[in-house]
Amino acid sequence: MEPVITVLLVVALIGVPALVLWRVLRGRRELGSSPAERATFETLHTASLAAPPLRAGLTEAGAQKASRHLRELLGSPALAVTDEERLLVYDGEGDDHHAREAFTHAAKTLAGGRTRVLGPEVVWCDLPECPIRFAVVVPLTTDGRVVGSLAAYGGHASAGLVRAAHEVANWVDSQLELAELDRSRTRLMEAEVRALRAQISPHFIYNSLTTIASFVRSDPDRSRELLLEFADFTRYSFRRHGEFTTLAEELRSIDRYLTLERARFGDQLQVTLRIAPEVLAVAVPFLCLQPLVENAVQHGLESKPGIGRISIVAEDAGAECRISVEDDGVGMEPDRLRRILAGDADERSGAGGVGLVNVDERLRQVYGDEYGLVAETAKGAGTKVSVRLPKYHPGVSVR
């Protein structure tokens, strides 16, 4: 297969073949590669510059940042982008007089959802030197709904420009769909965190307050310290900002939780922590470890007589951070744990199942399926749950 054909096939797979053809037909010449190869590279590079602003959705700021690159893709003297209610940006020639009419030009396209080619009788201008005489107005859609418009302005409306305007609009549509998916993922994660907060054990809250009350007369200072720990724990667990936090913050909240549990169980609860300082700043999904530790307490102490031991380890593993929570409790049948993590409704309702499944699903949504929970257990042999987290991942940051 010829190299140029290979390049065009690759471009066709990502949805911009007409743009490449349009750029080639316009006769762009660059040093080095063949015209077709150079046009392909330029188109892909320009599209990559326009994409990030559009991934925030159809906003005024995003449209303004992307407009120059979109106009370059079209090769048109001017371009306008609107949402359903107003002009977001007019970029190019005639901005001092055509911009104020741009939303009017888009009105019928917004109402009917069809591409319109407007001639000089509509795109009127009394300035002889102005290159704007025609406009191709294309609807922008998301989920089959018209959310805005894109208009390419020029001195004539060739079939090539109409086709290119359609291709650019389709590409913008795909970016807006991705933006909607990002928002949907964010809403889903927020809903899952709310669900996790809702299932924070009322039993734990009742027992913590009962323990605090028991120290009021015998050790008022201890009671006050525990009350502050409880307040800080609940404040962190029910905070309303940020999908991610640092491992240090997550561990700090876990320490408050364990302080309350140790006050309740005394020496029967023994906890070992081994944390590498290098991983404390790693960004982690909010409340991704608390359910694992709470599950370990329930199995490591409440479900067995005598002393319960829990080990929490966070290690530096190059590009990853590896965390494990292990208890020496009663354990369970491996098949049952497998059913819990698979989402079996009958199994997940008890024994911390909701929390484990919630964490597993969120990790997979953020990092991919290879970063789900790994659990080892056997009847009477305790349970170990391990987590791998990349130190750096696109879209993961503490804000």
Side-chain angles (χ1 to χ4, degrees):
M1 185 178 291
E2 293 296 324
V4 172
I5 297 176
T6 301
V7 172
L8 290 174
L9 285 175
V10 171
V11 176
L13 290 175
I14 63 172
V16 288
L19 295 181
V20 175
L21 182 59
W22 174 244
R23 297 284 290 272
V24 173
L25 291 176
R26 289 178 62 233
R28 290 206 169 188
R29 296 294 185 267
E30 298 288 342
L31 296 175
S33 306
S34 70
E37 291 173 328
R38 198 65 199 171
T40 299
F41 170 79
E42 289 181 5
T43 299
L44 294 176
H45 178 64
T46 304
S48 72
L49 294 175
L54 296 173
R55 287 295 298 272
L58 192 57
T59 65
E60 183 175 4
Q64 289 177 350
K65 291 178 181 178
S67 61
R68 180 172 63 86
H69 306 299
L70 296 177
R71 185 161 63 87
E72 186 177 347
L73 286 172
L74 289 166
S76 60
L79 172 143
V81 178
T82 76
D83 61 15
E84 297 173 279
E85 300 177 347
R86 62 194 177 108
L87 175 68
L88 299 179
V89 63
Y90 182 99
D91 182 83
E93 300 283 351
D95 59 342
D96 57 339
H97 52 285
H98 284 299
R100 54 179 173 264
E101 302 295 331
F103 187 77
T104 302
H105 296 159
K108 291 186 178 180
T109 295
L110 292 170
R114 299 180 62 182
T115 297
R116 300 185 72 240
V117 178
L118 309 179
E121 68 281 2
V122 177
V123 188
W124 183 83
C125 184
D126 59 359
L127 299 176
E129 68 276 11
C130 181
I132 306 301
R133 292 292 182 269
F134 288 83
V136 179
V137 188
V138 185
L140 299 176
T141 62
T142 301
D143 291 332
R145 180 175 61 87
V146 176
V147 296
S149 70
L150 180 146
Y153 287 86
H156 62 284
S158 67
L161 181 60
V162 173
R163 180 69 184 276
H166 269 287
E167 291 291 337
V168 170
N170 288 339
W171 180 82
V172 172
D173 288 347
S174 69
Q175 301 307 306
L176 298 180
E177 292 279 1
L178 290 173
E180 182 59 31
L181 285 175
D182 286 342
R183 286 192 291 269
S184 296
R185 182 180 69 85
T186 299
R187 288 193 295 267
L188 178 60
M189 290 187 65
E190 289 173 348
E192 289 177 337
V193 171
R194 286 196 297 270
L196 192 59
R197 287 166 172 158
Q199 69 95 38
I200 289 176
S201 174
H203 182 61
F204 162 72
I205 294 174
Y206 172 80
N207 286 332
S208 295
L209 293 175
T210 300
T211 301
I212 293 169
S214 70
F215 285 100
V216 168
R217 290 184 179 276
S218 60
D219 193 343
D221 291 339
R222 176 67 167 154
S223 176
R224 180 179 179 277
E225 290 172 3
L226 292 174
L227 190 59
L228 292 174
E229 295 286 0
F230 180 78
D232 288 339
F233 171 77
T234 53
R235 184 182 299 113
Y236 176 82
S237 298
F238 290 92
R239 74 177 195 177
R240 292 185 177 275
H241 57 87
E243 298 175 35
F244 303 96
T245 186
T246 63
L247 179 60
E249 282 296 318
E250 192 79 353
L251 290 172
R252 192 171 292 118
S253 177
I254 288 170
D255 183 61
R256 296 183 185 112
Y257 169 80
L258 291 172
T259 296
L260 293 164
E261 292 289 43
R262 279 192 292 258
R264 177 184 167 203
F265 291 108
D267 293 338
Q268 285 185 292
L269 175 59
Q270 297 184 3
V271 181
T272 302
L273 289 91
R274 191 169 79 249
I275 311 297
E278 297 85 356
V279 300
L280 289 174
V282 172
V284 301
F286 179 61
L287 287 182
C288 71
L289 298 182
Q290 159 68 25
L292 310 186
V293 176
E294 185 171 353
N295 189 65
V297 170
Q298 292 174 357
H299 287 80
L301 185 61
E302 291 187 351
S303 301
K304 62 169 285 188
I307 294 175
R309 296 177 177 84
I310 296 173
S311 172
I312 303 173
V313 178
E315 299 175 309
D316 184 7
E320 294 181 340
C321 168
R322 296 180 182 174
I323 305 168
S324 65
V325 179
E326 185 175 5
D327 66 71
D328 64 350
V330 297
M332 67 177 71
E333 294 293 341
D335 284 344
R336 184 186 174 203
L337 181 57
R338 193 174 300 113
R339 290 194 299 272
I340 289 174
L341 293 177
D344 188 305
D346 293 332
E347 296 288 359
R348 68 186 288 183
S349 59
V354 173
L356 290 179
V357 174
N358 184 295
V359 172
D360 183 62
E361 290 177 348
R362 285 196 292 141
L363 290 173
R364 293 176 189 275
Q365 287 168 5
V366 173
Y367 303 110
D369 285 339
E370 66 271 26
Y371 286 99
L373 295 180
V374 176
E376 306 167 60
T377 189
K379 201 73 173 176
T383 301
K384 180 178 181 180
V385 180
S386 301
V387 181
R388 291 166 46 238
L389 299 171
K391 290 181 179 177
Y392 306 100
H393 190 78
V396 175
S397 63
V398 180
R399 294 191 291 272

